[in-house]
Amino acid sequence: MANITLGEDTLTCQAHETVLDTLLRNNRQIPHSCRQGLCQSCLMRSLDNPPPVSSQVGIKDTLQKQNYFLPCICHPEQDMTIALPHQEMASSTVRVIEKQRLATDIIRLLLTHEDSFNFSAGQFVNLKRADGLTRSYSIANTPHPDKFLEFHIRRLPDGQFSNWVYDDLNPGDTVTISEAQGSCLYLPGRAEQPLLLVGTGTGLAPLVGIIYDALQQNHTGPIHLFHGSRDIDGLYLMNEMRELAATVDNFYYTPCLSGENTAADLITGRAHDVAFAATPTLKGWRVYLCGHPEMVQQTKKKAYLKGASLSDIYADAFHVNLPTGNVVSSHAF
Ligand SMILES: Cc1cc2nc3c(=O)[nH]c(=O)nc-3n(C[C@H](O)[C@H](O)[C@H](O)COP(=O)(O)OP(=O)(O)OC[C@H]3O[C@@H](n4cnc5c(N)ncnc54)[C@H](O)[C@@H]3O)c2cc1C
């Protein structure tokens, strides 16, 4: 068992615990969100020994060299003296301009940034509340001269951040936002390539952004969107997507219902099953998968087995975590 020194305190990291688990168990307030090494909101620095290489995956080379690491995936191999980064990932302040109900438990949150903010539709940011509570959300719009950012946020039962957004965050209020991260985005080039986009729940958010981005960049290949939800209420933006499909020749939209209720004009089944049944091969296709972690994981494998090249598969799993560090994967986001 390794000892972790933070400031004046030395804490013991139990077997199988990550450094973040140890810090949270000892009530240290550390910004964190995904606990999977994805969002980098818990970034810390080792002041003595180099951290395990596996805890530096995905961090910029320049930060790796300075012994930055991700405590959420760090199983220490020796004692470590650690600190919060002197210079966190660049962050800025954004202001709420609008909250709009998209479904019973999904809202569209519009934020405006005064300073320049570089992003691509489909990337995600970490939003941080004044007390440090941080969560990741995907950007649903393309860069706009009016400098706004759009998010689709689902309220989860007892979810700390999502309920705060619903109940307490109002137009005019500010939140802290990280730099945009992630590589689930539209890259120009190969304009004729067919695109398959599969999302569950608010996994639609990054996909909508990617679709508008692809169309703005004159993508000429077919763009197929399959959106899944257990109930019809969760198939938000159905009218907007249907209108888009009616006006854009190369865009096709299939809303899928996977729960017990069915509807005459909707396909029944899980979005990824419906998508695969409709697509004999994915050889040469570009595939985007966003939302429920299990769906993303399974569909990524299946897309590869159906012929998509791994470098053409872009995925964002919306992990939610329990205080113990176990990933909750039973919610349809
Ligand atoms: C890259 C990325 C992008 C994302 N994009 C989006 C997006 O665009 N839209 C979106 O809505 N979400 C998105 N998410 C998910 C988002 O980051 C949050 O995880 C989500 O909003 C829940 O946060 P919360 O604070 O409301 O819930 P938490 O407080 O973190 O709780 C999550 C759930 O776990 C349950 N839970 C908590 N503790 C326990 C316990 N002890 N026992 C049993 N259950 C428990 C809660 O009831 C709740 O339902 C994304 C996640 C990632 C990693």
Side-chain angles (χ1 to χ4, degrees):
M1 283 186 290
N3 287 322
I4 308 296
T5 303
L6 175 67
E8 304 287 301
D9 304 325
T10 296
L11 312 167
T12 301
C13 193
Q14 308 286 348
H16 309 302
E17 263 189 343
T18 64
V19 171
L20 182 65
D21 291 335
T22 306
L23 295 170
L24 296 179
R25 180 169 53 77
N26 287 281
N27 301 318
R28 298 300 182 280
Q29 295 298 319
I30 307 296
H32 65 282
S33 179
C34 78
R35 290 187 170 186
Q36 297 289 302
L38 296 171
C39 72
Q40 301 193 4
S41 56
C42 61
L43 189 71
M44 294 188 90
R45 189 175 182 193
S46 173
L47 301 179
D48 47 13
N49 302 309
V53 174
S54 58
S55 68
Q56 294 186 301
V57 172
I59 298 177
K60 281 182 195 158
D61 296 359
T62 46
L63 295 179
Q64 286 184 8
K65 283 197 190 116
Q66 298 168 69
N67 286 346
Y68 281 90
F69 70 103
L70 299 171
C72 68
I73 52 168
C74 179
H75 293 275
E77 290 156 0
Q78 55 189 323
D79 291 352
M80 295 173 81
T81 302
I82 61 173
L84 283 163
H86 298 298
Q87 212 181 358
E88 289 185 350
M89 184 182 292
S91 63
S92 52
T93 302
V94 285
R95 190 173 296 279
V96 179
I97 43 177
E98 198 180 320
K99 267 167 65 175
Q100 182 196 3
R101 184 70 59 105
L102 293 174
T104 308
D105 58 358
I106 300 173
I107 56 157
R108 173 185 269 147
L109 179 70
L110 291 185
L111 304 175
T112 181
H113 52 97
E114 277 159 26
D115 305 326
S116 66
F117 188 84
N118 289 325
F119 72 95
S120 295
Q123 284 192 297
F124 69 91
V125 295
N126 296 322
L127 297 182
K128 185 157 84 173
R129 202 166 73 172
D131 64 357
L133 185 71
T134 306
R135 295 288 182 268
S136 310
Y137 294 101
S138 306
I139 306 174
N141 65 305
T142 55
H144 195 276
D146 285 350
K147 293 186 166 179
F148 72 86
L149 297 165
E150 174 177 337
F151 301 93
H152 303 163
I153 299 184
R154 177 185 287 274
R155 183 206 282 263
L156 291 185
D158 304 325
Q160 292 180 76
F161 201 94
S162 57
N163 279 284
W164 171 72
V165 169
Y166 257 76
D167 298 332
D168 301 316
L169 187 68
N170 293 309
D173 292 347
T174 57
V175 279
T176 304
I177 192 170
S178 71
E179 291 170 39
Q181 302 161 64
S183 54
C184 193
L185 48 91
Y186 179 79
L187 288 173
R190 297 184 294 166
E192 287 162 22
Q193 191 176 25
L195 306 187
L196 173 68
L197 303 101
V198 183
T200 51
T202 48
L204 181 64
L207 300 183
V208 167
I210 289 165
I211 289 162
Y212 282 118
D213 203 10
L215 293 174
Q216 282 170 13
Q217 302 202 47
N218 298 320
H219 192 87
T220 53
I223 302 173
H224 292 269
L225 169 65
F226 292 82
H227 182 213
S229 169
R230 289 196 194 117
D231 51 54
I232 196 157
D233 189 50
L235 293 174
Y236 70 101
L237 296 191
M238 187 149 55
N239 290 341
E240 183 178 328
M241 290 299 104
R242 280 185 165 158
E243 275 171 32
L244 191 67
T247 51
V248 175
D249 284 349
N250 60 332
F251 174 62
Y252 306 89
Y253 166 60
T254 311
C256 309
L257 268 182
S258 60
E260 285 167 10
N261 296 327
T262 54
D265 59 341
L266 293 175
I267 293 197
T268 305
R270 295 182 304 173
H272 57 288
D273 291 335
V274 176
F276 284 141
T279 324
T281 174
L282 288 175
K283 197 168 169 28
W285 286 58
R286 208 184 303 182
V287 180
Y288 293 91
L289 310 167
C290 295
H292 194 293
E294 273 171 32
M295 182 285 285
V296 169
Q297 202 57 32
Q298 286 176 15
T299 313
K300 201 171 167 181
K301 269 192 214 149
K302 286 186 184 167
Y304 174 68
L305 294 174
K306 253 191 175 273
S309 149
L310 272 183
S311 59
D312 272 336
I313 304 177
Y314 299 82
D316 253 350
F318 288 7
H319 291 286
V320 170
N321 297 279
L322 298 172
T324 54
N326 298 321
V327 175
V328 178
S329 56
S330 57
H331 296 289
F333 298 103

